[in-house]
Amino acid sequence: MNNEEFELLLQKASLGCCSKEDLLDAKERLESAVEDKNAECADFEQVLQMMSFEGKDNTNPDEVKKAMESHGVAAISRDEIKVLQEQRNRLAYYLTNITGALDEFKNFNKYTCFNNIRALLKVNPDVKIGMIEKPVVSLLSGGNDILSDFAL
């Protein structure tokens, strides 16, 4: 998934039009992606710490590149590291929001709800939309179990 897909998923989740499975799948993908980005950033930061312990200049790009190669880390520039950190932060933002959406997730499906309302209106055309409230629905289903076939 890319950033636009995560944004769309968050918008759907905020409207309650997203399944829990979609949110769990996105959360799993984000956790994996954040771990990968953290590992990439950690390798670079570890090389910089080792350079400072060894007394080398970690602001010199050539020395940093040599140190990275000597420690078996892919040589990348500071700009690329900043891009990695920005990507990691963006993914962490999505992860936080999707985790929040999962915490607020209710097992309420608007699609099913409106299907049930339409079915109720077909069964009993005398019912008006404004009358469909919990007490009225329970009254309507009282003796003949009109709603027993529907998943409310």
Side-chain angles (χ1 to χ4, degrees):
M1 290 182 119
N2 59 29
N3 289 347
E4 293 84 25
E5 290 172 330
F6 287 124
E7 288 287 341
L8 181 63
L9 183 66
L10 285 172
Q11 289 174 0
K12 284 176 143 181
S14 69
L15 295 173
C17 299
C18 185
S19 71
K20 191 170 188 173
E21 291 79 25
D22 290 342
L23 289 173
L24 289 171
D25 181 51
K27 181 182 177 186
E28 189 175 295
R29 288 181 183 189
L30 282 169
E31 286 173 340
S32 175
V34 168
E35 286 177 16
D36 292 345
K37 296 293 180 188
N38 281 338
E40 290 178 45
C41 292
D43 289 343
F44 179 75
E45 291 166 0
Q46 187 176 21
V47 168
L48 289 180
Q49 286 179 351
M50 293 176 93
M51 287 181 69
S52 65
F53 286 137
E54 295 170 0
K56 295 182 181 176
D57 182 19
N58 63 6
T59 58
N60 183 349
D62 293 331
E63 290 221 15
V64 172
K65 185 176 179 180
K66 288 177 187 175
M68 289 178 77
E69 289 172 352
S70 69
H71 293 299
V73 177
I76 55 176
S77 68
R78 286 192 186 269
D79 292 335
E80 291 171 321
I81 288 297
K82 285 182 183 178
V83 169
L84 272 177
Q85 289 172 336
E86 288 171 4
Q87 289 173 350
R88 176 190 60 190
N89 292 342
R90 191 71 179 158
L91 292 172
Y93 166 79
Y94 290 135
L95 181 59
T96 301
N97 287 333
I98 286 179
T99 302
L102 274 169
D103 291 342
E104 295 174 9
F105 187 82
K106 296 176 179 74
N107 289 325
F108 177 76
N109 187 334
K110 288 181 182 180
Y111 180 77
T112 304
C113 176
F114 284 109
N115 276 343
N116 290 341
I117 291 171
R118 281 191 288 281
L120 175 64
L121 292 172
K122 285 180 186 176
V123 171
N124 192 347
D126 295 334
V127 176
K128 304 293 181 220
I129 293 288
M131 295 172 55
I132 299 177
E133 295 177 5
K134 194 170 193 170
V136 174
V137 170
S138 63
L139 286 174
L140 290 174
S141 65
N144 53 7
D145 280 340
I146 293 173
L147 297 178
S148 64
D149 298 332
F150 305 111
L152 283 177

